[in-house]
Amino acid sequence: MCKALLATIVMCLAAATNARAQGRIEQQIRDLEGKNVMTDKIVKRDPATRRVGMETKNFHFYSQGGTVADALREAFEADARQATNVEREQRGDSYECVLTFVQGRTRTVYRLSISGDKQRPEVDVQTYFRDESVNIDESSVETVRSHAADMAAACHGATSRPSA
C-alpha cells in the first residue's frame, strides 16, 4: 500500500513539474487563442472514451511591433531549460526553436519560427501533443479553423494576414 501511494505521489509531482516546464509557453498559447490569430486545430480522440490522444494547433500571424514575437521567444527560451530535447537555429533576424517534452507515454512538441522585419515579424507557432496510452483512429478526427478577423475581413473585402 505504501509503495502504491509513493508511486502515485511521484507521478503527480512529475506531472506537475512537466506542466510547469511548459508553463510560459502554454500561457502564451492561451493568450494567442484569446486574440484574433489564425488557428488550425486537429484533435484525435479514442472513439470509445472520447479522451484526447493527439492534438495539434497551428498559429500564424504578423506581430505588430514585435512584442508578441518577443514574448513567445522569451517563453521558449525559459521553458527550454526543462525540455527533453531542444533544437535552435538563429540566422540573421530569423529564429526557430523546437522543444520536446516527454513524460511517460506523453510527448509534447512546440515549434516557434520568427522571421522578417523586427517591427512586424512573421510568426508561426505549432504545438503537437500525443498520449500513446490513448487509442485513436482516423474516424475520431476533429478539425477546427478559426479566426474572427477572417470573418470580418471577408465582410469588408480585406485580404490581409492577421496581426497580433
Side-chain angles (χ1 to χ4, degrees):
M1 175 108 162
C2 285
K3 287 182 183 180
L5 179 60
L6 183 59
T8 302
I9 291 170
V10 168
M11 285 176 42
C12 289
L13 288 173
T17 300
N18 197 34
R20 278 194 312 269
Q22 302 152 210
R24 292 190 61 185
I25 295 171
E26 284 296 327
Q27 179 60 50
Q28 291 296 314
I29 288 172
R30 281 190 296 277
D31 290 348
L32 287 176
E33 289 173 327
K35 297 179 179 182
N36 289 332
V37 175
M38 174 74 74
T39 306
D40 291 317
K41 181 177 174 181
I42 298 173
V43 177
K44 293 185 181 183
R45 300 177 182 273
D46 179 323
T49 66
R50 303 296 299 153
R51 284 183 51 212
V52 174
M54 193 273 304
E55 179 180 83
T56 65
K57 295 179 189 175
N58 297 302
F59 303 91
H60 181 87
F61 59 96
Y62 288 93
S63 178
Q64 296 291 12
T67 55
V68 174
D70 290 342
L72 281 162
R73 183 177 181 153
E74 289 172 13
F76 268 70
E77 289 298 321
D79 289 353
R81 293 180 215 125
Q82 288 81 34
T84 305
N85 188 49
V86 178
E87 298 174 34
R88 283 188 196 96
E89 185 175 339
Q90 174 80 44
R91 201 176 306 156
D93 288 340
S94 296
Y95 171 82
E96 185 165 328
C97 184
V98 178
L99 303 179
T100 303
F101 297 86
V102 178
Q103 179 71 39
R105 297 186 66 191
T106 301
R107 171 182 304 269
T108 307
V109 180
Y110 300 94
R111 179 184 166 276
L112 172 64
S113 176
I114 302 171
S115 60
D117 178 41
K118 287 187 182 248
Q119 290 305 306
R120 194 170 183 263
E122 185 172 4
V123 180
D124 286 299
V125 180
Q126 287 92 35
T127 68
Y128 171 82
F129 165 82
R130 176 67 173 111
D131 183 346
E132 293 290 336
S133 68
V134 177
N135 177 40
I136 59 174
D137 65 24
E138 295 307 311
S139 67
S140 65
V141 176
E142 302 168 21
T143 304
V144 177
R145 174 171 245 180
S146 64
H147 186 297
D150 278 349
M151 297 302 288
C155 292
H156 295 94
T159 59
S160 64
R161 284 218 146 148
S163 297

